[in-house]
Amino acid sequence: MEDDNIRGDIEFGIKNIFAQQGKVIYSKKLHFDLSSGFVIDTTQHRYNLDAAKLAVNGLDFLVDGYFQTANFDTISMDLNLNLHAPAIATVKKLIPTELLPVINNYDIDGEFLVNANAKGIYAPEILPQITASVLLKDGALASKELPFAFKDII
């Protein structure tokens, strides 16, 4: 039996992404770089990511899972995204410049961990279920505005 799968590697980048809704700016100058192995099941129209690395402004996320097209405007998916940032300072690269004055009032330390999943259907007026956990391991938070510092945040 002939294998209907297509295998390969992909690398691409997108620079200077700007996202705004109304007057709220969510991102400016975001840079995305993706490198991944993939398998495309041509009979099921299913795209499986293998050891994908998504870099957002130099911060590396690991991505795995699949997405599948039923037609041009409906996508089924089960994608996992994981981030382990040994220093919280590296995560500040993702914060819009307008929010930095607020963030800079706080001293934050610790390991930053994110695990997220998008599962379900993406289509006009339908979004997949997105779950995420964010953890600041061995964290500390201090500010002149707080009466005391938070330490050993788990």
Side-chain angles (χ1 to χ4, degrees):
M1 181 173 186
E2 188 174 315
D3 187 356
D4 290 330
N5 293 340
I6 298 171
R7 292 172 174 73
D9 296 305
I10 188 169
E11 288 187 21
F12 70 90
I14 303 171
K15 305 239 180 261
N16 295 319
I17 297 172
F18 180 84
Q20 178 177 350
Q21 183 175 12
K23 293 182 179 181
V24 179
I25 296 172
Y26 292 102
S27 67
K28 283 187 192 177
K29 297 183 181 178
L30 278 180
H31 303 298
F32 286 89
D33 293 295
L34 177 71
S35 62
S36 177
F38 65 86
V39 176
I40 301 173
D41 180 335
T42 58
T43 58
Q44 298 294 318
H45 305 281
R46 183 175 164 135
Y47 303 80
N48 297 293
L49 297 176
D50 181 27
K53 183 176 87 170
L54 174 65
V56 181
N57 285 13
L59 194 58
D60 292 338
F61 293 83
L62 300 177
V63 183
D64 65 43
Y66 76 90
F67 59 96
Q68 186 171 12
T69 58
N71 55 45
F72 290 111
D73 65 354
T74 303
I75 300 170
S76 172
M77 67 182 67
D78 188 356
L79 295 168
N80 299 299
L81 178 125
N82 298 291
L83 166 71
H84 175 239
I88 194 74
T90 58
V91 178
K92 284 188 174 181
K93 296 176 187 178
L94 300 179
I95 298 172
T97 316
E98 292 80 9
L99 296 178
L100 283 177
V102 175
I103 301 295
N104 287 335
N105 288 334
Y106 295 89
D107 293 321
I108 305 170
D109 195 18
E111 292 181 62
F112 192 72
L113 304 156
V114 175
N115 296 305
N117 175 264
K119 186 173 187 172
I121 303 291
Y122 177 84
E125 300 183 26
I126 301 173
L127 293 174
Q129 177 182 2
I130 297 174
T131 56
S133 66
V134 178
L135 177 68
L136 183 61
K137 184 177 176 186
D138 298 324
L141 173 70
S143 171
K144 292 178 263 181
E145 299 170 10
L146 296 173
F148 53 86
F150 294 94
K151 294 183 179 177
D152 300 322
I153 298 172
I154 298 174

